[in-house]
Amino acid sequence: MIERYFEDLQVSDRFESGTFEVTEKGIVDFAYDFDPQPFHLDEAAAEASVFKGLAASGWHTAAAAMRLLVTGGLPFASGIVGLGGEIAWPKPTRPGDTLHVESEIVEITPSRSKPHQGIVTVRGTMFNQNQEAVYVLTAKLLVPRRTTRK
Amino acid sequence: MIERYFEDLQVSDRFESGTFEVTEKGIVDFAYDFDPQPFHLDEAAAEASVFKGLAASGWHTAAAAMRLLVTGGLPFASGIVGLGGEIAWPKPTRPGDTLHVESEIVEITPSRSKPHQGIVTVRGTMFNQNQEAVYVLTAKLLVPRRTTRK
């Protein structure tokens, strides 16, 4: 895997991640820790909710996407450091889903004040096994140049 | 705690959460599962990184905020169901931080197609013990009316 620095990147560059398997235990464990709402914890309660069945916390979905990005989905040297961005969950993530992320660079902005780095805007879409988008993240990432100190 | 329905909410309504204690173990455990980058896993590696010390994954910070919101920080009937939004991490979250979230309703939009619910936009800011903002989330939430079926 070739790790990219700021000067290696271009708008429209695309990257694809490996896969993440969603389990009922994973959904419930995450929800117990961070999003203890009935529709993320219990199948019967979830059936009666707006989700109509057990659904992962949106933050579990977001965390799964990050795992896919940092384990090869977005091969940036010095890692993936985000300043912020926009997120959306077009559909729920379900037990048994197999997820992957397809990313595209949409904007590249050199920093005037910090010449050793720049901002790269990446739009990542996470799909399930039916090619339905479950999560879209457009994030501004801090990316260093190859020569970071002089 | 009074749980709010759509018709109970007004722009400028404010809510405040309890607190979340950030531990080194919590940071490392989350990172191991979802964001295994050196600056979230190891103090020495983090010292040499852009973070200059161990920092929580931004997604751990986001998940901690969700925990604060669903455990009293945002008392919406039927829970907190987000469609998406904008996020930013102005400063890192560190071991030992005590976090809380202050939320404000910034927009209320009735649904034309679904009269039993509406969209409420909430801006939540999570502060550390020094009143520094570590996370800002502006989210569109699906909120039901009191009478959901007729």
Side-chain angles (χ1 to χ4, degrees), chain B residues 76-119:
Chain B
F76 288 3
S78 302
I80 301 175
V81 177
L83 302 173
E86 291 177 27
I87 51 178
W89 297 279
K91 289 185 75 84
T93 298
R94 305 289 191 182
D97 277 358
T98 300
L99 307 174
H100 77 282
V101 181
E102 299 179 15
S103 300
E104 181 174 358
I105 295 179
V106 293
E107 192 176 353
I108 294 179
T109 311
S111 171
R112 289 187 184 197
S113 60
K114 296 181 179 174
H116 62 284
Q117 65 188 29
I119 305 291

Coordinates of all heavy atoms in Angstrom, one line a residue, chain B residues 76-119:
Chain B
F76 N -36.1 14.3 24.6 CA -37.1 14.2 23.6 C -37.9 12.8 23.8 O -37.2 11.8 23.9 CB -36.5 14.2 22.2 CG -36.0 15.5 21.8 CD1 -36.0 16.6 22.6 CD2 -35.5 15.7 20.5 CE1 -35.5 17.9 22.2 CE2 -35.0 16.9 20.1 CZ -35.0 18.0 21.0
A77 N -39.2 12.9 23.8 CA -40.0 11.7 23.8 C -39.6 10.9 22.5 O -39.3 11.4 21.5 CB -41.4 12.0 23.8
S78 N -39.7 9.6 22.6 CA -39.4 8.7 21.5 C -37.9 8.7 21.2 O -37.5 8.0 20.2 CB -40.2 9.0 20.3 OG -41.5 8.9 20.6
G79 N -37.0 9.3 22.0 CA -35.6 9.2 21.8 C -35.0 10.2 20.8 O -35.7 11.1 20.3
I80 N -33.7 10.0 20.5 CA -33.0 10.9 19.6 C -32.7 10.1 18.4 O -31.9 9.2 18.4 CB -31.7 11.4 20.3 CG1 -32.1 12.1 21.6 CG2 -30.9 12.3 19.4 CD1 -30.9 12.6 22.4
V81 N -33.3 10.5 17.3 CA -33.1 9.9 16.0 C -32.6 10.9 15.0 O -33.3 11.9 14.7 CB -34.4 9.2 15.5 CG1 -34.2 8.6 14.1 CG2 -34.9 8.1 16.4
G82 N -31.4 10.8 14.6 CA -30.7 11.8 13.7 C -30.7 11.4 12.3 O -30.6 10.2 11.9
L83 N -30.9 12.4 11.4 CA -30.9 12.1 9.9 C -29.5 12.5 9.4 O -29.0 11.9 8.4 CB -31.9 13.0 9.2 CG -33.3 12.7 9.7 CD1 -34.3 13.8 9.0 CD2 -33.8 11.3 9.3
G84 N -28.8 13.4 10.1 CA -27.5 13.8 9.7 C -27.2 15.1 10.3 O -28.0 15.7 11.1
G85 N -26.0 15.7 9.9 CA -25.7 17.0 10.4 C -24.3 17.4 10.1 O -23.6 16.8 9.2
E86 N -23.8 18.4 10.9 CA -22.4 18.9 10.7 C -21.7 18.7 12.0 O -22.3 18.8 13.1 CB -22.4 20.4 10.4 CG -22.9 20.7 9.0 CD -22.9 22.2 8.8 OE1 -22.1 22.9 9.4 OE2 -23.8 22.6 8.0
I87 N -20.4 18.3 12.0 CA -19.6 18.1 13.1 C -18.3 18.8 13.0 O -17.8 19.0 11.9 CB -19.4 16.6 13.4 CG1 -18.8 15.9 12.1 CG2 -20.6 15.8 13.8 CD1 -18.5 14.4 12.3
A88 N -17.8 19.2 14.2 CA -16.4 19.8 14.2 C -15.8 19.4 15.6 O -16.5 19.3 16.6 CB -16.5 21.3 14.0
W89 N -14.5 19.3 15.5 CA -13.7 19.0 16.7 C -12.7 20.1 16.9 O -11.5 20.0 16.4 CB -12.9 17.7 16.6 CG -13.8 16.5 16.4 CD1 -14.4 15.8 17.4 CD2 -14.1 15.7 15.2 NE1 -15.1 14.7 16.9 CE2 -14.9 14.6 15.5 CE3 -13.8 15.9 13.9 CZ2 -15.4 13.7 14.6 CZ3 -14.2 15.0 12.9 CH2 -15.0 13.9 13.3
P90 N -13.1 21.2 17.6 CA -12.1 22.4 17.7 C -10.9 22.1 18.5 O -9.9 22.7 18.2 CB -13.0 23.4 18.4 CG -14.4 23.0 18.3 CD -14.4 21.5 18.2
K91 N -11.0 21.2 19.5 CA -9.8 20.8 20.3 C -9.8 19.4 20.6 O -10.9 18.8 20.6 CB -9.8 21.6 21.6 CG -9.5 23.1 21.5 CD -9.5 23.7 22.9 CE -8.2 23.4 23.6 NZ -7.1 24.3 23.2
P92 N -8.7 18.7 20.9 CA -8.7 17.3 21.2 C -9.3 17.1 22.6 O -9.3 17.9 23.5 CB -7.2 17.0 21.3 CG -6.5 18.1 20.6 CD -7.3 19.3 20.8
T93 N -9.9 15.9 22.7 CA -10.3 15.3 24.0 C -9.2 14.5 24.6 O -8.5 13.8 23.9 CB -11.6 14.4 23.8 OG1 -12.6 15.2 23.2 CG2 -12.0 13.8 25.1
R94 N -8.9 14.8 25.9 CA -7.8 14.2 26.6 C -8.2 13.3 27.8 O -9.2 13.5 28.3 CB -6.9 15.3 27.2 CG -6.5 16.4 26.2 CD -5.5 15.8 25.2 NE -4.9 16.9 24.4 CZ -3.9 16.7 23.5 NH1 -3.5 15.5 23.2 NH2 -3.4 17.7 22.8
P95 N -7.3 12.4 28.1 CA -7.5 11.6 29.4 C -7.7 12.5 30.5 O -7.0 13.5 30.7 CB -6.2 10.8 29.6 CG -5.6 10.8 28.2 CD -6.0 12.0 27.5
G96 N -8.7 12.2 31.4 CA -9.0 13.1 32.6 C -10.0 14.2 32.3 O -10.4 14.8 33.3
D97 N -10.4 14.4 31.1 CA -11.3 15.4 30.8 C -12.7 15.1 31.4 O -13.1 13.9 31.4 CB -11.5 15.6 29.3 CG -10.5 16.5 28.7 OD1 -9.6 17.1 29.4 OD2 -10.5 16.7 27.4
T98 N -13.4 16.1 31.9 CA -14.8 15.9 32.3 C -15.6 16.8 31.3 O -15.5 18.0 31.2 CB -15.0 16.5 33.7 OG1 -14.2 15.7 34.6 CG2 -16.5 16.3 34.1
L99 N -16.5 16.1 30.5 CA -17.2 16.7 29.4 C -18.7 16.9 29.8 O -19.3 16.1 30.5 CB -17.1 15.8 28.2 CG -15.7 15.4 27.8 CD1 -15.7 14.4 26.6 CD2 -14.8 16.6 27.4
H100 N -19.3 17.9 29.2 CA -20.7 18.0 29.2 C -21.2 18.7 27.9 O -20.4 19.4 27.3 CB -21.2 18.8 30.5 CG -21.1 20.3 30.4 ND1 -19.8 20.9 30.6 CD2 -21.9 21.3 30.1 CE1 -20.0 22.2 30.4 NE2 -21.2 22.5 30.1
V101 N -22.5 18.6 27.6 CA -23.0 19.1 26.4 C -24.1 20.1 26.7 O -25.0 19.9 27.5 CB -23.6 18.0 25.5 CG1 -24.2 18.6 24.2 CG2 -22.6 16.9 25.2
E102 N -24.0 21.3 26.0 CA -25.0 22.3 26.1 C -25.7 22.4 24.7 O -25.0 22.5 23.7 CB -24.4 23.7 26.5 CG -23.8 23.6 27.9 CD -23.1 24.9 28.3 OE1 -23.4 26.0 27.7 OE2 -22.3 24.9 29.3
S103 N -27.0 22.2 24.7 CA -27.7 22.1 23.4 C -28.7 23.3 23.3 O -29.3 23.7 24.3 CB -28.5 20.8 23.3 OG -27.6 19.7 23.4
E104 N -28.9 23.7 22.0 CA -29.9 24.7 21.8 C -30.7 24.3 20.5 O -30.1 23.9 19.5 CB -29.2 26.1 21.6 CG -30.2 27.2 21.3 CD -29.5 28.6 21.3 OE1 -28.3 28.6 21.5 OE2 -30.2 29.5 21.0
I105 N -32.0 24.5 20.5 CA -32.7 24.3 19.3 C -32.6 25.5 18.4 O -32.8 26.7 18.8 CB -34.2 24.1 19.6 CG1 -34.3 22.8 20.4 CG2 -35.1 24.0 18.4 CD1 -35.7 22.4 20.9
V106 N -32.2 25.3 17.1 CA -31.9 26.4 16.2 C -32.9 26.5 15.1 O -33.0 27.5 14.4 CB -30.5 26.3 15.6 CG1 -29.5 26.6 16.8 CG2 -30.2 25.0 14.9
E107 N -33.7 25.4 14.8 CA -34.7 25.4 13.7 C -35.7 24.3 14.0 O -35.4 23.2 14.5 CB -34.0 25.2 12.4 CG -34.9 25.5 11.2 CD -34.1 25.4 9.9 OE1 -32.9 25.2 9.9 OE2 -34.8 25.5 8.8
I108 N -36.9 24.6 13.6 CA -38.0 23.7 13.8 C -38.8 23.7 12.4 O -39.2 24.7 12.0 CB -39.0 24.0 14.9 CG1 -38.2 23.9 16.3 CG2 -40.2 23.2 14.9 CD1 -39.0 24.2 17.5
T109 N -38.9 22.5 11.8 CA -39.6 22.4 10.5 C -40.6 21.3 10.6 O -40.3 20.1 10.6 CB -38.5 22.1 9.4 OG1 -37.4 22.9 9.6 CG2 -39.1 22.2 8.1
P110 N -41.9 21.7 10.5 CA -42.9 20.6 10.4 C -42.8 19.9 9.1 O -42.3 20.4 8.1 CB -44.3 21.4 10.4 CG -43.9 22.8 10.9 CD -42.5 23.0 10.5
S111 N -43.2 18.6 9.1 CA -43.1 17.8 7.9 C -44.5 18.0 7.1 O -45.5 17.8 7.7 CB -42.9 16.4 8.2 OG -43.1 15.6 7.0
R112 N -44.4 18.3 5.8 CA -45.7 18.4 5.1 C -46.2 17.0 4.8 O -47.4 16.7 4.8 CB -45.5 19.1 3.8 CG -45.2 20.6 4.0 CD -45.2 21.4 2.7 NE -44.8 22.8 3.0 CZ -45.0 23.8 2.2 NH1 -45.6 23.5 1.0 NH2 -44.7 25.0 2.5
S113 N -45.3 16.1 4.4 CA -45.8 14.8 4.0 C -46.1 13.8 5.2 O -46.9 12.9 5.0 CB -44.7 14.1 3.1 OG -43.5 14.0 3.9
K114 N -45.5 14.1 6.3 CA -45.7 13.2 7.5 C -46.2 14.1 8.7 O -45.4 14.5 9.5 CB -44.5 12.5 7.8 CG -44.1 11.5 6.7 CD -42.8 10.7 7.1 CE -42.5 9.7 6.0 NZ -41.2 9.0 6.2
P115 N -47.5 14.4 8.8 CA -48.0 15.3 9.8 C -47.8 14.9 11.2 O -47.9 15.7 12.2 CB -49.5 15.4 9.5 CG -49.8 14.2 8.7 CD -48.6 13.8 7.9
H116 N -47.4 13.6 11.5 CA -47.2 13.1 12.9 C -45.8 13.4 13.4 O -45.5 13.0 14.5 CB -47.6 11.6 13.0 CG -46.7 10.8 12.1 ND1 -46.8 10.7 10.8 CD2 -45.6 10.0 12.4 CE1 -45.9 9.8 10.3 NE2 -45.2 9.4 11.3
Q117 N -45.0 14.0 12.6 CA -43.6 14.3 13.0 C -43.1 15.5 12.4 O -43.7 16.1 11.5 CB -42.7 13.1 12.8 CG -42.5 12.8 11.3 CD -41.8 11.5 11.0 OE1 -41.9 10.6 11.8 NE2 -41.0 11.4 9.9
G118 N -41.9 15.9 12.8 CA -41.2 17.1 12.2 C -39.7 17.0 12.4 O -39.2 16.0 13.0
I119 N -39.0 17.9 11.8 CA -37.5 17.9 11.9 C -37.1 19.1 12.9 O -37.5 20.2 12.7 CB -36.9 18.2 10.6 CG1 -37.4 17.2 9.5 CG2 -35.3 18.2 10.7 CD1 -36.9 15.8 9.8

